[in-house]
Amino acid sequence: WLRAAECEDDLDKKRAVLRTALELVPSSVKLWRTAIELEDVEDARLLLGRAVECVPHSVEMWLPPPPPRPPPGPLPPPPLR
């Protein structure tokens, strides 16, 4: 489901794929987190409330998402001593 959503270029289509996935797999924390990240603040709050109902014992639903990974590239030079 996550790969299917990644294949969509249109944000509304990504959301639709993830919402369909959540109907079929409501216990998936990864699906919930991904869907919530694509929403605006108000819709994200609504989805988060539903996510907590569906996976109430998931600590991940209560924690902030991890920071984004930096883009791949050359390593910075070592610090001078």
Side-chain angles (χ1 to χ4, degrees):
W1 287 107
L2 293 171
R3 291 216 186 240
E6 286 176 11
C7 290
E8 295 294 346
D9 293 325
D10 182 63
L11 185 57
D12 289 331
K13 289 182 181 180
K14 284 181 192 247
R15 289 178 178 143
V17 168
L18 291 170
R19 289 184 187 234
T20 300
L22 288 168
E23 289 176 18
L24 299 171
V25 192
S27 61
S28 172
V29 173
K30 277 189 172 187
L31 287 173
W32 281 112
R33 300 264 326 218
T34 303
I36 289 167
E37 288 173 6
L38 294 178
E39 298 295 337
D40 61 35
V41 173
E42 192 59 36
D43 289 337
R45 283 187 185 138
L46 293 171
L47 270 183
L48 182 58
R50 181 73 179 126
V52 170
E53 290 174 9
C54 291
V55 282
H57 301 293
S58 171
V59 175
E60 284 185 68
M61 293 310 306
W62 296 97
L63 298 175
R69 293 182 190 167
L75 295 175
L80 298 174
R81 293 185 183 200

